[in-house]
Amino acid sequence: MKLIKATEQNIPLIQDLAKRSWENAYAEILSKEQMEYMLNTMYSEIEISEHLKTPNYHYYLVFDEVSNVFDGFLGYENHYENQTTKLHRIYLVPESKGKGLGKKTLEFLNEKVKESGDNRIILNVNKYNSAKKFYESQGYKIYDEGVFDIGNGYVMDDYLMEKSF
């Protein structure tokens, strides 16, 4: 596995990977309408392009060298808060589960966070998403929870998790 820094040319790939992973991860959690709304707003070409232009926001593609396919992506923002990086996005397509790619991707993130000078990673995870257990297995702990209005009558009902170094 290797992580490849994403560019503007990779936006369609990121959108495809997001759709494929979301259809699996959120099928039992979100309505089809909410999922479509969130994908269309959070993963619009304009939104991702703006992230890529922001110096502290980074996207990496997860590439499986054995299968020769892209299995997912990582999106994070250094210095989101004082000495804190926010993990905005980590998604893997369903067929990549069980390969250890999620763990390796978070290990990569840990190194990038340390290189940036930050010493804490925060993230939001849907309260009903099984990924919460994965994050806990990687040293993340719940420090709060929140319900966030994302427009169009939809909310995100999340745990806020953190890991400090």
Side-chain angles (χ1 to χ4, degrees):
M1 176 197 97
K2 71 178 174 181
L3 284 116
I4 302 167
K5 184 96 167 139
T7 66
E8 294 258 345
Q9 290 75 30
N10 300 124
I11 292 175
L13 175 59
I14 292 168
Q15 291 171 320
D16 178 62
L17 292 167
K19 185 177 186 306
R20 289 169 51 207
S21 62
W22 275 49
E23 286 171 349
N24 180 63
Y26 297 113
E28 304 294 317
I29 301 171
L30 304 176
S31 69
K32 185 175 175 151
E33 294 78 18
Q34 181 171 350
M35 197 180 325
E36 195 172 293
Y37 170 78
M38 291 175 72
L39 283 168
N40 288 338
T41 55
M42 297 168 67
Y43 290 92
S44 70
E45 185 173 343
I46 293 168
E47 182 78 6
I48 298 170
S49 181
E50 285 303 312
H51 294 163
L52 291 169
K53 291 175 188 167
T54 303
N56 290 329
Y57 206 120
H58 308 280
Y59 275 91
Y60 282 87
L61 299 166
V62 178
F63 185 71
D64 182 344
E65 297 168 296
V66 175
S67 305
N68 202 35
V69 294
F70 289 99
D71 277 329
F73 64 96
L74 168 70
Y76 64 93
E77 188 175 359
N78 297 120
H79 316 307
Y80 181 79
E81 294 175 357
N82 184 37
Q83 303 232 304
T84 300
T85 292
K86 176 142 189 190
L87 171 55
H88 288 286
R89 302 160 179 202
I90 179 173
Y91 289 104
L92 298 170
V93 294
E95 55 271 23
S96 71
K97 301 283 165 115
K99 294 182 183 178
L101 300 178
K103 182 178 179 182
K104 289 177 185 168
T105 301
L106 285 182
E107 288 169 356
F108 173 86
L109 175 62
N110 292 344
E111 291 308 310
K112 290 296 187 183
V113 169
K114 290 174 187 173
E115 287 172 16
S116 79
D118 286 346
N119 59 19
R120 177 177 173 242
I121 302 171
I122 60 172
L123 62 87
N124 292 23
V125 64
N126 183 289
K127 288 180 181 173
Y128 305 100
N129 189 335
S130 61
K132 175 186 162 279
K133 290 182 180 124
F134 168 69
Y135 292 125
E136 289 172 331
S137 77
Q138 300 304 305
Y140 288 81
K141 294 184 177 9
I142 295 171
Y143 70 92
D144 204 353
E145 57 185 78
V147 177
F148 305 94
D149 184 343
I150 56 171
N152 215 38
Y154 299 119
V155 297
M156 294 190 322
D157 189 7
D158 293 344
Y159 288 121
L160 308 180
M161 300 185 80
E162 68 181 345
K163 177 178 183 172
S164 297
F165 303 102

